[in-house]
Amino acid sequence: CKQSEINVDDDKERDATIIKNYATKVDEKLIRPLMEHNKEVMTLHSNLVTRLHSELTSVLSSRYRNIDLTVYGSCLSGLSLGWSSDVDISLNMPMIVKLKLDLENSKIDLKDYEKELKRIVWRVKDTITERGKGKFKQVSAVPFARVPVVKGTCRLGKDNNSPGGSI
């Protein structure tokens, strides 16, 4: 009876060694190279996000004063999926701050607030389209969303499929 227990323990030990060796090989041959590639992709993506922020700031500052663009979301936290991830940027404009204060202080009603906010969203979209020619494409406004959005594609390179392409 003790002989079979020893064999079972030997088998478990041998199996554990085989599994450990297999896991080490998977890590060396598959996981580590993917991690290194992912670091390169994330660095390139981060550089493109910085360029996008700069391009948008330049385009919008040509029409609006004292704007503040802030990158947020997965591309900032490092949790983005590289090229397949969108870039979230919030836009703070003094005219929107004033509009909110006017609503809070009952200087305008909700209907007028919503109407003016939608007008601003459309103007931001038009500014990006007109002043960002060659850099931005497929720009569209979504002014009726709970949080109004302007979305599009930024052309930062020669080839949309290259690391310096679109974002």
Side-chain angles (χ1 to χ4, degrees):
C1 184
K2 287 188 177 189
Q3 183 64 29
S4 65
E5 288 176 15
I6 291 172
N7 288 341
V8 169
D9 288 341
D10 288 345
D11 288 345
K12 286 180 182 179
E13 203 172 300
R14 186 180 68 242
D15 290 347
T17 301
I18 290 169
I19 291 170
K20 182 179 178 183
N21 290 340
Y22 182 74
T24 300
K25 286 180 184 178
V26 167
D27 184 56
E28 289 172 358
K29 302 291 183 186
L30 183 63
I31 304 299
R32 286 185 192 170
L34 285 174
M35 294 291 287
E36 289 303 314
H37 175 72
N38 190 41
K39 286 179 188 175
E40 291 173 28
V41 168
M42 295 309 289
T43 299
L44 289 170
H45 190 258
S46 176
N47 291 341
L48 287 174
V49 169
T50 300
R51 285 180 57 202
L52 170 64
H53 182 272
S54 177
E55 293 291 342
L56 264 179
T57 299
S58 176
V59 166
L60 292 172
S61 293
S62 71
R63 179 168 186 176
Y64 304 104
R65 293 186 177 274
N66 301 318
I67 62 162
D68 182 36
L69 288 129
T70 305
V71 176
Y72 69 97
S74 62
C75 66
L76 182 64
S77 67
L79 298 174
S80 70
L81 300 174
W83 303 119
S84 64
S85 180
D86 67 346
V87 178
D88 300 308
I89 301 177
S90 67
L91 171 61
N92 188 11
M93 303 172 73
M95 66 175 52
I96 293 177
V97 172
K98 182 185 179 314
L99 188 64
K100 286 181 182 179
L101 286 172
D102 287 349
L103 177 65
E104 290 171 8
N105 294 323
S106 302
K107 291 182 179 179
I108 60 172
D109 62 23
L110 182 60
K111 184 178 177 182
D112 288 339
Y113 169 82
E114 290 172 346
K115 181 179 176 181
E116 181 62 17
L117 185 59
K118 288 176 177 105
R119 190 180 67 77
I120 292 169
V121 171
W122 282 109
R123 283 189 9 205
V124 167
K125 179 257 182 205
D126 291 342
T127 301
I128 294 170
T129 301
E130 294 163 7
R131 298 184 184 200
K133 283 188 179 173
K135 296 176 185 172
F136 299 95
K137 62 182 185 176
Q138 299 169 328
V139 180
S140 61
V142 186
F144 303 103
R146 187 175 57 84
V147 176
V149 174
V150 176
K151 59 183 182 175
T153 302
C154 181
R155 182 96 169 85
L156 296 172
K158 296 179 180 179
D159 176 8
N160 285 343
N161 298 317
S162 74
S166 292
I167 190 166

